[in-house]
Amino acid sequence: MSPINTLAWPAQRLGEALDVLATRAGITTNNTSQDSVINPDPAIDLTSEEKLDHWLNWAASKLHIEVERVETTAAQFRRFLRHSTPTLLRFWQGGQPAFLLLLKAGRRHAILVSPQLKKVKYPLEPIRAALWSAIEEPAREQLQSLVEHAGIPRRQWPRVTSALLTQKMAPQRFAGCWLIRMPPSTSFPSQLADDGIRRRILAMVTAFSCLYLLELIGWSLIGWGALAGRFDPGWLLAWALLLLSMAPIQLWGNWLQGSLAVQIGTLLKKRLLAGALAMKMDTIRRQGVGQLLGRVIESQAIDALALNGGFTVLIAAIELGLASVILVLGAGGIVHALLLWLCLLAAGIVGKRYYLCLRRWTQSRLQLTHDLIERMVGHRTRLAQEPPHTRHGDEDQMLEDYLHQSQLFDQSVIPLAGGLPRGWLIIGLLGLAPNFVFGNADVVGLAIGLGGVLLAYRALGSVVSGLSGLSRAHISWEQVDELFYAAEHIEKRSSVQPKMRLTPIKRPIHSPQSLLQMSQLKFTYARQHAPVINQCDLIVHHGDRILLEGPSGCGKSTLAALLVGLRKPDSGLLLLNGLDRATWGSDWRQLTTAAPQFHENHVLSGTLAFNLLMGRNWPPSDADLTEAQQLCVDLGLGDLLNRMPGGLMQTVGETGWQLSHGERSRVYLARALLQNAELVVLDESFAALDPATLLQCITTALARAPTLMVIAHK
């Protein structure tokens, strides 16, 4: 067996390793040539966790994949490897990081990709030992010394030490794992294929097809015997064996259906979450709180409704296909099968009416939800400003419309749910009546025809249930499709490789080198004709302190959003450190940050530390917490920290400690300053402060912000 070191990729070839692992795992077909592989810049210190994570995420965006660091405990490490592939694993060689490319893993062995691009089957235990050696060695030495002094026979020392080490290391966490997978922006069919969904669907269809075929054969046997007036023991034994064979196939099919629902639902929720995070600011602003809540409610239902309805209809389609064949072979012949398809045509007409009524009812219900939330948010304002006799007029009208739509919806359910299956049962039996009355068919033909009628009856019941679920899912989809497709427009990372320093470089004030250049910039809001920003020119140098004044509505906040990357200009040139937005990608916002206006900022329900350090890695380090506390003291929040029982770990927000207007303003200011961005834009951040506190906060901002722009009313 080769030493584990020979299978490790050095940090200098990390970019090539990512590309090879993603390609071998089938996550991407990106066949990058050796000359175009993006390996780490030698100036980057990959021994730093933060810089290694930053570079891996940047490189992953170039390869159109996603990398996520995960942690696991020693007790769960083997199970983690078996269920979390492909994975990039880090261990240390002579103080430098090296990486293993884990393609697959079983109970005892793993498949690794060597630096020579060969797949190697390797035992899991040496892999585990290599990864945990840096953590285990100090503890192993202590335990060996303890065992030696405990009077345990020498021959048992290794076994006892190993057992003690396993118990001691069980809760220890290992963070050198990065999962490799497709990004949310990948097409959904590709994600389904990568997750093996297509194979599982084919297996499920095969399972249920076999199940219904066996059921058909079984009922044919028992039906032929019953109608012929005799039961042969051999046929009864065959029927019993068929029934026993159906049980494991039924369990297998149900398991496939359930696992498919979980897999597809997980992928869909990830996609919707990514889309929600990628939605444009203006799109969110155009929708009220109630409308956004309605999207959340519908997104919760769409996967269950679509998957259950889709699987039900799929299984029902198999049943209907078999029922059609049976009816053709039965006493009624082709005419009997045509009656079935006419019933299905009628089901389509009734189903369309049901869908339209359901759609109007859902829209009315969501409008009620939207109106309720908006009225709850503005309840205090309504109590103070709105006359009591006019408060509920609109509500009564909306409730009346909702009741009317509910009545129409209930009326559309009856013919679909109650009339269709029972109507077919009557029609199907009437189709067999002439042959039965006049004796034109034999007993077997009548038995087959009756079996087809009953199978179609069951299938139509499933069709009704499935169509109901699919109709609800389609209507829910109309509410969340914007989130689904928004994931395709997730902003890419910088095309420029991150260098050694991730934090801004402090430069002398009024340095001649420009930080930001704006030329002929133009921006127009959607649904408006006149541009808010038109032919605007601006140059900001490193270390500048800028005061931007103007009347309300003149575009100050819009300009701030353009500078920090929250909006994209319609035309013109906008450069940051000499590079445009397309080159920087999402990394633009690592160099610029803003404290938005008070009505656009928010204290989240969580600890004060979380609200302050949102722009940094979480959980925070001790240095981060110390810096945040000192900044709070500098901004005059020291008394607040002293009053809070939990200090920085005190829960704040709507469900926690209530902050005053001025305290919230200073939290927003501290949040922006703690991001350590090169350019800090403060939009009306000092409006709620008294003169003494204002001077204290301005002094702190001037001392901490490398380059500062303050926006104020003229």
Side-chain angles (χ1 to χ4, degrees), residues 24 102 282 422 426:
R24 293 294 180 92
L102 181 63
D282 293 335
R422 292 173 177 83
I426 295 172

Side-chain angles (χ1 to χ4, degrees), residues 343-360 409 411-417 420 463-472 474-475:
C343 284
L344 288 176
L345 179 61
I349 297 173
V350 175
K352 181 178 180 180
R353 179 173 178 267
Y354 168 83
Y355 169 78
L356 294 176
C357 292
L358 175 62
R359 190 166 183 244
R360 289 192 293 267
F409 173 59
Q411 293 171 6
S412 69
V413 171
I414 297 173
L416 181 66
L420 181 62
V463 166
V464 170
S465 175
L467 286 178
S468 176
L470 287 177
S471 297
R472 293 175 182 270
H474 186 269
I475 293 169

Side-chain angles (χ1 to χ4, degrees), residues 289-343:
V289 177
Q291 290 176 322
L292 294 174
L293 179 62
R295 287 179 181 268
V296 173
I297 294 173
E298 295 303 307
S299 68
Q300 291 292 327
I302 186 172
D303 58 336
L305 291 172
L307 295 175
N308 293 334
F311 290 147
T312 302
V313 170
L314 179 62
I315 296 169
I318 298 173
E319 292 181 333
L320 287 171
L322 292 173
S324 300
V325 174
I326 295 169
L327 291 174
V328 171
L329 298 175
I334 189 68
V335 176
H336 215 180
L338 288 175
L339 289 175
L340 173 60
W341 291 104
L342 286 175
C343 284

Side-chain angles (χ1 to χ4, degrees), residues 78 274 637:
R78 288 178 177 272
L637 293 174

Side-chain angles (χ1 to χ4, degrees), residues 177 225 247 273 304 310 465:
C177 307
L273 177 59
S465 175

Side-chain angles (χ1 to χ4, degrees), residues 289-291 364-378 382 391 394-396 398:
V289 177
Q291 290 176 322
S364 179
R365 176 174 57 82
L366 291 177
Q367 183 60 38
L368 274 178
T369 302
H370 168 63
D371 185 72
L372 173 63
I373 298 300
E374 293 295 332
R375 291 174 187 271
M376 289 173 62
V377 172
R382 294 186 68 202
R391 288 176 190 162
D394 293 341
E395 297 172 4
D396 294 340
M398 294 177 64

Side-chain angles (χ1 to χ4, degrees), residues 7-25:
L7 301 177
W9 290 67
Q12 294 77 12
R13 295 180 62 188
L14 185 54
E16 181 185 352
L18 270 181
D19 179 44
V20 169
L21 182 58
T23 303
R24 293 294 180 92

